[in-house]
Amino acid sequence: MSTAALKKMNIAQAINLALHDAMAMDESVVVLGEDIADREGGGVFKCTAGLSTKFGTGRVKSTPIAEQAIVGAAVGGALAGLRPVAEIMLMNFTTVAMDQIVNHAAKLRFMTGGQTHVPLVIRTTTGAGFGTGGQHADYLEAWFAHTAGLKVVAPATPADAYGLMLSCIFDDDPCIFIENLPLYFVPGEAPVQGERVPIGKARVVQEGSDITLISYSKTLHEVSAVAKGLAKEGVSAEVIDLRTIAPLDMDTILTSARKTGRVVVAHEAQVDFGVGAEISARLHKELFGQLKAPVARVGAARSPVPFSKPLETAFVPTRERILAAVHETLK
């Protein structure tokens, strides 16, 4: 696949292109997961379509429904010199493989005094909006960000999904790559083929002077829409896309917060103990006395993701809730 003739693509296509390009560049890159080979349809979301036909089933391996085995095999392959990309179909299913992720992938570099690396990517998707219920749509990024040794990324656009995937594949440490299910099908600007997005570097989507709005993944699109509406009210909002949860780009966040003096952080994960809480704590420590208002946090309710559509809609951070937090902060 080439982006030469494509101005738009969705995140599923961007992931597919990144995997294709990485596998073409380096024979040590392998992909494994449930139903990912073409004979099973190229993955439930088609992110791996065509790869097994191009690179063979020796490098694109469909696995049993066994998350422990998928991640365990990927960790072993990484230690043996491969660069595995393991697909865990939905983020809730990472819970089945937490021992392999937290006690093995994240810690082996430390436990060997830096003698071994685990160049591993765990791809997974999540996100409310399709009525998949409480065991299929949780955002659990704070769990993994809390684990030393893991890098955690959550792209919001096809270009970032492509560039971050390339960076993660060729990083020597394990990366958790979080894809948003509803965004799979939303077109966006196509990436520049071969261009990597650095891990740990946020993006200033829109500059502003009155308030800083921070988000990532799907909620970034809600925040951007709110920022456009605020402009009609005469409010200049700066919008930051974190892109990477761990390591966190505090330099970009602090620069913006110093300028505006007001900050709202919005994410789809639960508010309690979330990424917004970490950002708020750091900002209040670093800018004590400089902020014009307390940092506001907007996120999901402390509840399993509801199956009921009206409840699911109320569960996630809507534009209305984000706007209300902005207005409260501007007071």
Side-chain angles (χ1 to χ4, degrees), residues 82-146:
L82 298 176
R83 292 189 175 274
V85 181
E87 178 182 306
I88 302 298
M89 189 181 295
L90 293 168
M91 195 170 196
N92 287 76
F93 302 164
T94 60
T95 58
V96 182
M98 286 298 276
D99 182 43
Q100 285 75 15
I101 298 170
V102 172
N103 286 326
H104 297 267
K107 293 185 170 67
L108 283 169
R109 180 172 178 177
F110 298 94
M111 295 174 70
T112 61
Q115 296 179 75
T116 61
H117 299 274
V118 187
L120 161 67
V121 180
I122 298 174
R123 290 184 47 241
T124 190
T125 189
T126 193
F130 288 97
T132 54
Q135 295 176 334
H136 297 81
D138 283 331
Y139 264 86
L140 306 174
E141 65 273 23
W143 287 13
F144 296 108
H146 193 70

Side-chain angles (χ1 to χ4, degrees), residues 202-216 220 222-231 234-242 249-266 283 322 326 330:
R203 176 173 67 103
V204 178
V205 178
Q206 172 182 306
E207 293 190 358
S209 57
D210 295 326
I211 191 166
T212 299
L213 307 182
I214 301 171
S215 191
Y216 52 91
L220 174 76
E222 309 305 323
V223 164
S224 295
V226 168
K228 290 180 181 178
L230 287 170
V235 176
S236 174
E238 183 146 299
V239 178
I240 295 176
D241 178 4
L242 290 181
D249 183 3
M250 281 305 300
D251 288 342
T252 297
I253 294 170
L254 285 165
T255 297
S256 180
R258 285 192 182 98
K259 177 172 64 173
T260 66
R262 297 180 175 89
V263 178
V264 174
V265 188
L283 284 175
I322 297 168
V326 169
L330 288 171

Side-chain angles (χ1 to χ4, degrees), residues 3 9 32 41 44 60 84 88 121 169 188 213 229 259 268 270 281 286-287 291 319 328:
T3 62
M9 67 168 52
L32 65 160
V44 66
V60 182
I88 302 298
V121 180
I169 289 173
L213 307 182
K259 177 172 64 173
E268 190 170 316
Q270 293 182 24
E286 296 293 330
L287 302 181
L291 294 173
R319 296 179 188 180
E328 181 66 25

